[in-house]
Amino acid sequence: MKPVTNFKLGLFALAALASFVVAALALGLHTRRAPSSEYHTLFDESVQGLDIGAPVKYRGVTIGDVARIEVANDRRLIDVTLAIDARADRRLDLASPPPALRAQLASQGLTGVKFVDLDLVDGARAAPTRPGYLASRHSLARRLEDQTEQLGDSLPAVLDDARATLHHLDVVLDDASRQRVIEHLVAALDEVRGAVAGARPLAPRLAAAIADARDAIATIRELATRLDG
């Protein structure tokens, strides 16, 4: 029984070793990198959350991954090395990229994991070209942050303009109120002029009545004197 048992154990060990070798070869073939081309892009912002091995995408299609992340020589920009699949490189002709092509940081879903996204930007001016470099632009989060800061900087000027506009509106309303008062005075004067003009034809009759009244008073006085006599 022992020789049979030893044979089975040996066979089992050989089978396990063969399985290990096959798995190692399969893993090696799987992890072996496909031919790729390296390009550099410089980001003028924090790359927090971007790790080596993060995807590089062209309009949402994965074309490579991040090979290295380093601080540039100016100690301000971040130099990110992109390993682009050779076939995608030839298809997109990244050696002569279109002027509107830009690399930017993007976040993947709700996890916040960052990747590098290559996309065409409408209205982008032609960027200086360097062999092996791809132009970049600020991420959406950074652009929103910059716009918020600009809005905060311009807010005092906006408030000053608003105050000046309100002051001008007050002046206009005051002028309008004064103008209405003047219009009412002019209308009243016109009515007075009309009344005076209407009374002028009655003036001769009034003078004649007054003269008649004076004559009647004189006659009454004369009669009274005679009666006294």
Side-chain angles (χ1 to χ4, degrees), residues 42-150:
L42 300 173
F43 290 115
D44 188 11
E45 62 181 300
S46 173
V47 295
Q48 178 70 31
L50 181 68
D51 298 322
I52 294 176
V56 177
K57 299 184 179 184
Y58 176 79
R59 314 202 81 177
V61 179
T62 301
I63 60 173
D65 53 43
V66 175
R68 289 187 302 277
I69 303 175
E70 300 173 333
V71 179
N73 293 332
D74 64 355
R75 294 182 293 179
R76 172 185 173 86
L77 303 178
I78 304 300
D79 187 354
V80 178
T81 303
L82 312 177
I84 307 298
D85 181 78
R87 291 177 299 178
D89 182 22
R90 290 191 298 269
R91 188 180 304 114
L92 298 174
D93 192 18
L94 295 179
S96 301
L101 183 67
R102 295 291 186 275
Q104 67 175 359
L105 296 175
S107 297
Q108 193 168 5
L110 299 176
T111 60
V113 177
K114 290 187 177 180
F115 64 94
V116 178
D117 186 32
L118 302 180
D119 203 348
L120 301 175
V121 179
D122 294 335
R125 294 179 298 178
T129 57
R130 296 169 55 188
Y133 277 83
L134 299 176
S136 67
R137 70 166 181 166
H138 287 156
S139 63
L140 176 61
R142 177 60 184 274
R143 294 199 298 274
L144 291 176
E145 181 181 350
D146 292 342
Q147 290 177 2
T148 303
E149 291 180 356
Q150 293 176 2

Side-chain angles (χ1 to χ4, degrees), residues 145-160:
E145 181 181 350
D146 292 342
Q147 290 177 2
T148 303
E149 291 180 356
Q150 293 176 2
L151 179 61
D153 294 338
S154 61
L155 186 57
V158 173
L159 292 176
D160 291 340

Side-chain angles (χ1 to χ4, degrees), residues 20-36:
F20 177 77
V21 171
V22 171
L25 290 175
L27 183 62
L29 290 175
H30 179 73
T31 57
R32 187 175 62 185
R33 294 181 61 87
S36 61

